[in-house]
Amino acid sequence: MKFSLLPNQWVLGLGAICLVSSLAVLAFSKQHRDAVLHKLHFHKHRRFSGASTPPRSLSISKESPASCNPDFVTAFPPSRRCILPELADKAVDANSKISTAVEPSVEFLVRNILPTTRSYCLDNDAPKYTPTGFSTAEIKAMGDFPAYDILSGVPLPEPYENFDSTTALPRPYRPFRWAYHQTMSLTKMEPDWWLEVENSYVERVKQRQELFREHGVKVLDYLPGSELACKELMEMCLQFYCARYPTCFSLSPDKKIFHNKLLGTKTEIKRFHPLHILLNNVPEDFAIVLRNEEDGMYYFRAGVICSSLGWNVSTKIGMQLKEIHQPIPDYKEKMSFSMDRYFSKMPTNAPIQRGSWGLEVDTPLFMPPGHPHEKLREIQKQDLTIDECYLRVDWQTLRRLPLSGGIVFNFKALFTPVKEFRDEPYIPALLLKILKEGKKNLMEYKNTWHVEHVCVPELEEYAREQVASGVVKPENEGEEEWQVTTLCESPYFPGWEEKWHCQQGF
């Protein structure tokens, strides 16, 4: 699946996310959001659905750079020091001496910022400070596995009742939008669904381990200065797993051993680099970008990414965001400023989520440049069948790590046979509209041509069946057919919960 001129998910997803600035936070306040949408003439779709639906999204257009040139060296994200008293109250005795000192000034942070370009030690005589305002002394006092829900302002997930790892399926994401143009569809990240475990968990972990054995730093690498962020991310992921899936994952009382019942493994946490613990236990991709103390810009410093298409970790690590996105058309003129500003201000308590999609032959997970599967994207295979055609959705989240101040982008590749759309109301017609009438350069960018000769006729048949059966009908009197638009249930479809539950046996 291509993103821009680079055939990869991560580049466009990350670039699109950064098209917003402080407006993203408005997605978390209904009152403020509705006021802004009214002023911008955004209106709800008319078709009513009684189904339980996810939060509505904001589709925000690209912004032009401001005439001023901001000084990102003095731009820091919102501080989280306000939670230190609460954290100290809940800390164990050994870690209870957490400082509650006054907020450091911007000038103080600039002079005493913790380096992110070289290795460091928490035992420095003179404490250093992270972009979110925490000192190395305070971080050391917090110890391992502090209360990240308090630190971040994002609650831990509720336990997943009746979870069965043998039948669990990911939610059926269908992030299709019409009109289809290069904007961002943002929603507040749902805390219960940051990391999903489904019935492919064991197989996917083994596949990712094999990819690392074969490709090494092309799928996992880290640079000096990323140590704190990597440890923090790993601890947050394991904390999430233990809270969300308590029958499958647990930590020993001293928090030194991670028990994985699905794999039948016990991991001594201190023995391994945090990214290797993630590789061996969490089948999701993570890219960590850190604020550089010299220019205030964000650079890709660490990652474990096993589902990239047309690129890999080794081709991007160490790059500044604008370097990663340089090939994207109009990036410098229309997107760069918004991206840099958003990253400089993103708070820890406002993570966001979105989905990107493409159509593929079979289910390619990792496709470095030159991979044989790339050839299938250059031709319309004459004997291709609908059974070989899949929707690939990369469900993505973006959040700031509370201690290090790093920003982590994570995504998970999910594959669905196109044939599944047959009984999903409105989805065939919506996807057809995009494939047939989407802006030419954007559809070339997405690269669906290689399967359209099979998918389009099949989707046309599905759409006709849904109209004939009354599943799809006009919204208003006087209309002869449904006027294709983004669904109220986006990124899902009407009745998605019933189908999803049925497929899992409950």
Side-chain angles (χ1 to χ4, degrees):
M1 184 187 325
K2 281 194 176 182
F3 276 77
S4 79
L5 299 181
L6 286 177
N8 68 75
Q9 286 289 9
W10 186 79
V11 168
L12 181 61
L14 189 55
I17 282 175
C18 302
L19 298 181
V20 303
S21 58
S22 58
L23 283 177
V25 181
L26 293 176
F28 295 80
S29 169
K30 184 179 186 302
Q31 181 179 1
H32 291 166
R33 181 185 67 207
D34 290 346
V36 171
L37 291 179
H38 177 74
K39 291 179 181 179
L40 295 177
H41 306 293
F42 280 71
H43 305 289
K44 293 182 178 180
H45 300 303
R46 291 166 291 174
R47 187 174 61 79
F48 172 77
S49 170
S52 175
T53 61
R56 295 299 299 147
S57 64
L58 289 173
S59 294
I60 303 173
S61 299
K62 298 183 288 291
E63 297 183 11
S64 298
S67 58
C68 61
N69 185 22
D71 180 10
F72 287 106
V73 174
T74 59
F76 291 93
S79 170
R80 290 296 296 170
R81 293 186 60 82
C82 60
I83 55 81
L84 284 176
E86 180 182 2
L87 199 66
D89 289 343
K90 295 187 177 182
V92 296
D93 292 341
N95 301 330
S96 60
K97 296 181 180 180
I98 298 173
S99 171
T100 57
V102 296
E103 192 81 31
S105 67
V106 170
E107 293 76 13
F108 182 86
L109 284 179
V110 171
R111 292 195 308 269
N112 296 277
I113 197 71
L114 182 67
T116 59
T117 55
R118 62 181 186 272
S119 297
Y120 54 84
C121 178
L122 295 181
D123 295 320
N124 293 330
D125 292 335
K128 297 294 184 180
Y129 286 75
T130 69
T132 45
F134 295 110
S135 73
T136 50
E138 291 160 348
I139 294 171
K140 182 179 179 182
M142 293 179 198
D144 299 329
F145 291 93
Y148 284 109
D149 54 332
I150 297 175
L151 282 165
S152 67
V154 179
L156 283 172
E158 294 294 325
Y160 195 150
E161 296 183 3
N162 303 316
F163 176 74
D164 184 344
S165 63
T166 64
T167 61
L169 295 173
R171 293 183 294 176
Y173 300 106
R174 308 289 185 263
F176 304 129
R177 292 175 288 128
W178 186 262
Y180 181 65
H181 46 84
Q182 192 166 316
T183 60
M184 177 59 190
S185 182
L186 289 174
T187 59
K188 173 184 177 182
M189 190 190 82
E190 300 164 90
D192 285 353
W193 297 97
W194 178 37
L195 307 173
E196 291 187 61
V197 172
E198 67 266 358
N199 59 9
S200 65
Y201 173 85
V202 174
E203 176 187 356
R204 190 66 84 197
V205 168
K206 291 180 179 178
Q207 183 181 15
R208 291 164 64 87
Q209 291 171 332
E210 180 58 35
L211 285 171
F212 175 70
R213 284 191 289 268
E214 181 179 354
H215 298 284
V217 295
K218 291 183 179 180
V219 299
L220 187 156
D221 202 4
Y222 43 89
L223 299 180
S226 65
E227 296 89 348
L228 174 59
C230 290
K231 176 179 182 289
E232 184 179 12
L233 173 61
M234 177 272 293
E235 291 180 342
M236 290 175 67
C237 289
L238 299 194
Q239 257 187 14
F240 180 95
Y241 265 17
C242 294
R244 183 63 168 161
Y245 309 102
T247 61
C248 303
F249 309 102
S250 62
L251 283 167
S252 61
D254 61 6
K255 299 180 181 179
K256 294 182 178 180
I257 305 293
F258 177 65
H259 299 268
N260 187 326
K261 294 182 180 179
L262 296 184
L263 298 177
T265 58
K266 297 180 182 180
T267 302
E268 291 185 42
I269 294 173
K270 294 295 186 181
R271 286 189 57 194
F272 303 95
H273 188 278
L275 292 188
H276 284 275
I277 294 177
L278 292 179
L279 174 73
N280 293 327
N281 292 279
V282 183
E284 307 235 359
D285 285 349
F286 300 94
I288 298 173
V289 294
L290 297 177
R291 181 185 182 279
N292 183 284
E293 60 273 14
E294 298 294 331
D295 57 15
M297 309 303 268
Y298 284 76
Y299 292 75
F300 177 29
R301 301 292 297 176
V304 50
I305 300 174
C306 296
S307 56
S308 57
L309 301 181
W311 66 284
N312 57 67
V313 170
S314 65
T315 64
K316 303 293 180 185
I317 197 162
M319 288 187 177
Q320 188 180 335
L321 296 178
K322 69 178 183 180
E323 296 172 320
I324 295 173
H325 297 84
Q326 187 273 332
I328 297 178
D330 299 328
Y331 171 77
K332 181 179 179 181
E333 295 78 12
K334 298 181 179 180
M335 298 166 68
S336 182
F337 176 79
S338 293
M339 165 183 270
D340 293 335
R341 183 176 61 179
Y342 182 76
F343 269 65
S344 70
K345 295 181 177 181
M346 185 183 187
T348 67
N349 62 352
I352 55 177
Q353 64 183 20
R354 72 180 295 267
S356 60
W357 64 273
L359 298 176
E360 297 290 347
V361 176
D362 297 324
T363 58
L365 184 67
F366 179 69
M367 190 191 301
H371 192 281
H373 198 91
E374 281 189 322
K375 296 295 183 182
L376 294 178
R377 294 174 155 216
E378 300 172 1
I379 62 171
Q380 288 191 328
K381 185 182 174 187
Q382 293 305 306
D383 58 350
L384 183 68
T385 68
I386 194 63
D387 293 329
E388 300 172 88
C389 297
Y390 287 80
L391 169 73
R392 170 173 166 148
V393 170
D394 282 81
W395 193 245
Q396 309 161 351
T397 68
L398 188 76
R399 66 186 301 174
R400 186 181 291 278
L401 302 174
L403 291 180
S404 65
I407 292 178
V408 59
F409 177 83
N410 88 282
F411 65 88
K412 186 171 189 174
L414 303 169
F415 295 92
T416 302
V418 171
K419 293 193 302 183
E420 285 289 319
F421 302 161
R422 190 167 203 155
D423 63 354
E424 297 179 357
Y426 299 92
I427 293 300
L430 179 54
L431 181 52
L432 274 173
K433 187 78 169 179
I434 297 170
L435 294 178
K436 289 183 174 183
E437 300 181 30
K439 192 175 179 180
K440 185 175 183 293
N441 67 330
L442 291 180
M443 297 313 297
E444 290 175 348
Y445 190 67
K446 188 165 284 289
N447 190 21
T448 58
W449 172 82
H450 65 301
V451 297
E452 289 181 9
H453 63 300
V454 172
C455 290
V456 167
E458 196 78 10
L459 292 168
E460 289 174 337
E461 180 180 348
Y462 299 166
R464 287 192 295 267
E465 291 175 355
Q466 292 186 1
V467 171
S469 64
V471 172
V472 171
K473 49 191 175 184
E475 292 180 348
N476 304 305
E477 292 184 11
E479 294 179 346
E480 296 184 358
E481 59 185 18
W482 176 54
Q483 301 301 306
V484 177
T485 187
T486 302
L487 297 175
C488 297
E489 295 81 0
S490 179
Y492 309 109
F493 52 88
W496 72 270
E497 289 173 301
E498 292 84 351
K499 177 177 180 177
W500 181 56
H501 289 158
C502 183
Q503 288 176 326
Q504 297 176 88
F506 66 93

